[in-house]
Amino acid sequence: MERVDIKVGFYCNNLCKFCVQGRKRDYLPAKDKEEVINSLKEAYDKGKREVVFTGGEPCLHPEFLLLVKAAREIGFEVIQIQTNGRMFAYENFCLKTIQAGANQFSPALHGHNAAIHDFLTEAPGSFKQTAQGVKNLKKLNQYVLTNSVITSKNYRHLPELARLLVDLGVDQFQFAFVHILGTADKNKDWLTPRKTDIMPFVKRGLDIGIKAGKKVTTEAIPFCFMAGYEKHVGETIMPETRIYDAGFVVEDYGAYRRDSGKAKRKECRLCKYDKVCEGPWKEYTELFGWDEFKPVKK
Ligand code: SF4
């Protein structure tokens, strides 16, 4: 199903060390409701039937519930909330969001314990709230798909994180390699692990999810690292997405990723996966070069 992604504002109660949005919260106000509703209507008219509310933290938009309700009234079939998950620690807020029409929740959990997660989010107490949020949403029978950003501080514990996600009952989880933009760019020297180092932990984490019958994916880890796990490369199943950002629209996020965000090396032409692989985020290769990326024999 084609998707629209609407950034409703950049305010957030976390201050993640890997946030690609940087400090946009300091100078970009929350969008007003008319602007968001117009974007929703336009996207619906263009055939989108799935909307993702994101930001910043969308739940903190002053008219969040009204926007969710508007999406439902316009006719969107899937209404997903991409969130740090903290507001869902309040059961009443979960109920109101579900009543307004949301039917998919994508909270972010970046560590298997408070020490790691709260360090990365710079928000004491955030681990406890996000984990409680997932529990509440599952208790209310909601579809929960989590995202976890892979950094130098958490990659060794991805198997424990996967175990926690399975225990919390999530339906799906994704491990996304840190994208060196915004705040992540400022912290890149100590925050960015080598892809070669993370892979044993990524694969053990995926195995835990697979064994438990969960849908598991990765993001920004090309096929040449994913031997045996190729069908979990997330880019291959990402829907066509239009993005309403701050003051501009990305018509086709997939094309943007392939043409400007990601990079390939000339040797990629020899690789079995060249046609389907997007390559890594280009900032990674600017930091570490191309040595790790070895074409897979046809
Ligand atoms: S096309 Fe390039 S980046 Fe992609 S899997 Fe092959 S070698 Fe790796």
Side-chain angles (χ1 to χ4, degrees):
M1 200 183 304
E2 288 188 22
R3 175 187 288 177
V4 59
D5 180 308
I6 301 197
K7 300 190 189 306
V8 297
F10 295 94
Y11 179 71
C12 186
N13 49 347
N14 284 357
L15 197 57
C16 295
K17 290 182 162 78
F18 48 75
C19 182
V20 295
Q21 304 298 355
R23 299 301 304 224
K24 286 183 191 167
R25 67 186 71 186
D26 294 344
Y27 54 91
L28 289 171
K31 287 182 184 170
D32 62 40
K33 72 171 188 290
E34 286 74 24
E35 181 182 351
V36 176
I37 291 170
N38 286 340
S39 302
L40 286 167
K41 284 181 180 158
E42 186 178 71
Y44 191 84
D45 288 345
K46 286 182 183 291
K48 310 298 181 202
R49 293 294 178 266
E50 178 175 343
V51 58
V52 178
F53 285 105
T54 178
E57 174 49 47
C59 299
L60 299 176
H61 187 286
E63 305 200 75
F64 170 69
L65 293 172
L66 188 148
L67 298 177
V68 174
K69 197 159 169 259
R72 186 183 59 187
E73 283 166 4
I74 288 167
F76 283 94
E77 292 164 34
V78 175
I79 301 175
Q80 184 188 122
I81 314 300
Q82 200 175 91
T83 169
N84 64 32
R86 294 177 62 185
M87 281 296 287
F88 296 104
Y90 304 99
E91 205 170 337
N92 198 31
F93 184 78
C94 298
L95 287 169
K96 282 185 182 164
T97 307
I98 296 162
Q99 270 158 17
N103 52 16
Q104 271 195 10
F105 296 84
S106 178
L109 201 59
H110 307 293
H112 70 295
N113 61 24
I116 294 178
H117 180 86
D118 292 5
F119 169 80
L120 287 166
T121 61
E122 288 199 24
S126 58
F127 172 80
K128 205 170 162 199
Q129 284 187 318
T130 302
Q132 185 61 47
V134 174
K135 277 186 207 162
N136 288 346
L137 290 165
K138 283 313 302 172
K139 200 164 86 186
L140 293 164
N141 292 320
Q142 295 304 300
Y143 193 87
V144 176
L145 56 157
T146 57
N147 186 49
S148 306
V149 176
I150 304 169
T151 68
S152 60
K153 294 294 173 198
N154 62 1
Y155 79 83
R156 290 180 188 82
H157 299 286
L158 292 174
E160 289 111 301
L161 178 54
R163 170 55 51 209
L164 172 65
L165 294 169
V166 167
D167 290 347
L168 287 171
V170 306
D171 299 278
Q172 185 177 335
F173 66 77
Q174 171 175 270
F175 292 150
F177 195 84
V178 59
H179 189 182
I180 309 173
L181 289 179
T183 312
D185 182 43
K186 294 202 170 63
N187 294 325
K188 66 182 172 203
D189 292 334
W190 61 266
L191 187 71
T192 317
R194 297 293 289 238
K195 284 196 157 94
T196 310
D197 294 337
I198 67 168
M199 285 319 297
F201 302 96
V202 170
K203 288 180 176 177
R204 274 168 46 204
L206 294 177
D207 282 339
I208 289 167
I210 294 164
K211 224 181 201 169
K214 308 294 179 187
K215 185 170 172 189
V216 294
T217 54
T218 57
E219 193 198 355
I221 304 179
F223 289 88
C224 45
F225 293 88
M226 292 285 285
Y229 296 79
E230 292 84 354
K231 67 174 189 237
H232 301 285
V233 171
E235 283 83 350
T236 58
I237 53 160
M238 283 178 188
E240 202 175 295
T241 302
R242 179 181 178 86
I243 299 181
Y244 288 87
D245 207 302
F248 66 95
V249 176
V250 180
E251 294 282 345
D252 178 351
Y253 181 59
Y256 159 78
R257 275 199 322 268
R258 290 183 291 274
D259 300 344
S260 333
K262 305 270 183 82
K264 304 276 279 285
R265 66 192 305 201
K266 79 173 183 320
E267 287 82 354
C268 289
R269 270 183 257 141
L270 306 170
C271 178
K272 182 175 166 183
Y273 296 105
D274 186 33
K275 280 203 169 65
V276 285
C277 177
E278 295 184 358
W281 292 119
K282 65 181 180 198
E283 294 81 5
Y284 180 87
T285 59
E286 287 161 11
L287 190 63
F288 292 128
W290 280 103
D291 290 356
E292 295 169 281
F293 299 81
K294 308 231 165 42
V296 181
K297 280 205 184 91
K298 290 187 183 176

